[in-house]
Amino acid sequence: MIFEPRYVVAAFGLIVSSPLVHAEEKEPLAVIELGAATERSIQDGTYSAGPSAAVEFPVIKDWLEIETGISPLFRAGQTEWQADVLFKKPFTINEHVEFMVGAGPQLSYATAGGGTKVAGEFAMEWMIWPTKDRKFGWFIEPTYSVTLNKGHEQAIGLTGGLMIALY
């Protein structure tokens, strides 16, 4: 009889082990980004730099990722703490390179009388995954921001560093 359990098990084993059957690519639960950030004011030319940490997680596969991060930026006589939430659209260039474009709100607080500022931020991010398993990689993210406060201060920035995928 063809429907004997041993034949069903054997057929199932052949189908599952077949190289034609591909498991869906495993998506990380989150990506941690650790690195350095710089920013230059377009109006007065002041420059600040400091460490950066962010976590990015997929919400809708291939359509929406959310990144939230924080950076203390230092310059002479002042420290500015920046936190942002970016909504990004990912594009896979190939198995080693991804590109994302996004925007979102930014909140900053500056010591020494700088006060609190609310801004809109636009970012483009290049992610380089040197290995196929995509556990570690590098990123570089240029940004542009404009404050919603009086004066509408504008700034350009650059963040880069190491990515660690969490599965």
Side-chain angles (χ1 to χ4, degrees):
M1 182 172 170
I2 191 133
F3 293 108
E4 287 185 35
R6 65 182 176 180
Y7 295 126
V8 173
V9 171
F12 181 76
L14 286 173
I15 291 169
V16 171
S17 65
S18 170
L20 298 175
V21 177
H22 298 286
E24 189 172 322
E25 184 180 314
K26 193 173 181 183
E27 186 81 16
L29 298 173
V31 175
I32 295 174
E33 297 178 349
L34 302 172
T38 63
E39 186 176 82
R40 179 178 292 273
S41 171
I42 293 174
Q43 278 81 2
D44 60 18
T46 57
Y47 172 81
S48 55
S52 175
V55 63
E56 185 173 284
F57 53 94
V59 177
I60 302 171
K61 185 174 174 52
D62 297 329
W63 279 99
L64 176 63
E65 294 198 14
I66 296 177
E67 175 186 305
T68 182
I70 189 164
S71 298
L73 298 175
F74 305 103
R75 67 175 171 213
Q78 183 172 321
T79 300
E80 182 175 358
W81 286 87
Q82 289 186 346
D84 61 9
V85 177
L86 297 173
F87 300 89
K88 296 181 173 183
K89 166 66 171 118
F91 299 93
T92 300
I93 307 301
N94 62 39
E95 65 184 22
H96 296 289
V97 179
E98 283 182 76
F99 174 73
M100 291 193 202
V101 61
Q106 178 189 71
L107 181 65
S108 63
Y109 173 77
T111 61
T116 303
K117 297 177 187 173
V118 177
E121 184 176 30
F122 173 76
M124 297 179 295
E125 181 176 30
W126 290 95
M127 303 169 81
I128 294 96
W129 301 97
T131 60
K132 284 188 177 188
D133 63 5
R134 290 183 166 214
K135 291 187 178 183
F136 297 96
W138 300 98
F139 75 96
I140 188 159
E141 182 178 56
T143 61
Y144 168 78
S145 63
V146 59
T147 65
L148 305 176
N149 299 36
K150 184 179 176 183
H152 301 291
E153 182 182 342
Q154 300 174 49
I156 55 172
L158 184 66
T159 304
L162 174 69
M163 297 183 302
I164 304 163
L166 303 176
Y167 290 93

